Amino acid sequence: MTILDRIVQQKQKEVEAGKNRFSYMRLEEAEHFHRTPYSLKQFLTDPARTGIIAEFKRRSPSKGVINGEADVMEVTQAYNAAGASALSVLTDLQFFMGRKRDLTKARRVNDIPILRKDFMIDEYQIVEAKAIGADIILLIAAILTPEQIKRFADLAKGMEMSVLLEVHNLEELQRSLTPNLDAIGVNNRNLADFTVSVDTSFQLAEHIPNDFLKVSESAISDPAIINQLRQAGFNGFLIGENFMKQAEPGRAMEAFVREMR
């Protein structure tokens, strides 16, 4: 069983437990459910911003604890001030030390889009994402069928949320495209064994239709790579561990952005 299989198995248990604790009706009564989400496309293509989707992540299955003491409000505000186009907040507890309240806290102090970074396998999680303040959901092709991707994307768009589809090979890309996606994220990390290579983004770039924003995810540690990825057609760059492994992730992003220019 791969790490991804274990995560999905745990997620199935969490979703069922969540449904028993909070009904759909209770989620729809949450304070953030009726707010209008920020548009990923608007912020990702804003020339005044960097294109970076800056991630708040305490740990990962492959690296263990990265930054267990970081404050989500402080770090995400610093990311925003450094020019992040959007934020990504992990909400998986068992494998990433994330919490749903982390996203809600980040929402309280930021005025840019927030991605709920989690393993979405059920419609319930999408409604829950809206309720806790997310603007963007992540759909991972490796754990979903094409029918699920279409259904989940349609549901999210019906709630005015943006949808980021994550793929890491051509087969996943070709079988997963559906009109209600906003962006295609190429994960440079293989979720089966967690090895990384930014070459994955360069290999898939030409196969992503121009109808969708292109986002390169993970393995980005050199500002020079950003310019190469832009030339290959990418609009967004999800960066987490490179910033979070520093004592002050916001300052790490500031320094990174200075080198981009």
Side-chain angles (χ1 to χ4, degrees), residues 163-183:
V163 183
L164 172 63
L165 172 73
E166 178 177 295
V167 302
H168 76 270
N169 60 45
L170 185 58
E171 186 273 331
E172 288 181 358
L173 172 65
Q174 291 178 334
R175 69 172 163 82
S176 303
L177 294 177
T178 187
N180 272 332
L181 303 171
D182 295 278

Side-chain angles (χ1 to χ4, degrees), residues 51-53 186 188-189 196-199 201-202 215-227 229 234 236-243 245 256 260:
I52 292 174
I53 301 172
V186 179
N188 299 311
R189 175 175 285 111
V196 295
S197 173
V198 75
D199 287 341
S201 285
F202 292 112
V215 177
S216 181
E217 305 173 9
S218 304
I220 302 172
S221 57
D222 182 354
I225 292 290
I226 298 285
N227 293 327
L229 287 165
F234 283 89
F237 319 94
L238 193 148
I239 306 174
E241 184 181 319
N242 190 58
F243 300 149
K245 67 184 181 182
F256 187 94
M260 283 171 53

Side-chain angles (χ1 to χ4, degrees), residues 7 23 32 38-39 41 45 47 62 72 94 107 135 158 179 185 203 206 215 239 252-253:
I7 291 172
S23 67
H32 295 298
Y38 293 111
S39 163
K41 182 176 182 179
T45 57
S62 59
V72 66
Q94 180 158 329
R107 169 81 293 139
D135 306 278
Q203 291 164 5
E206 65 180 313
V215 177
I239 306 174
M253 179 172 167

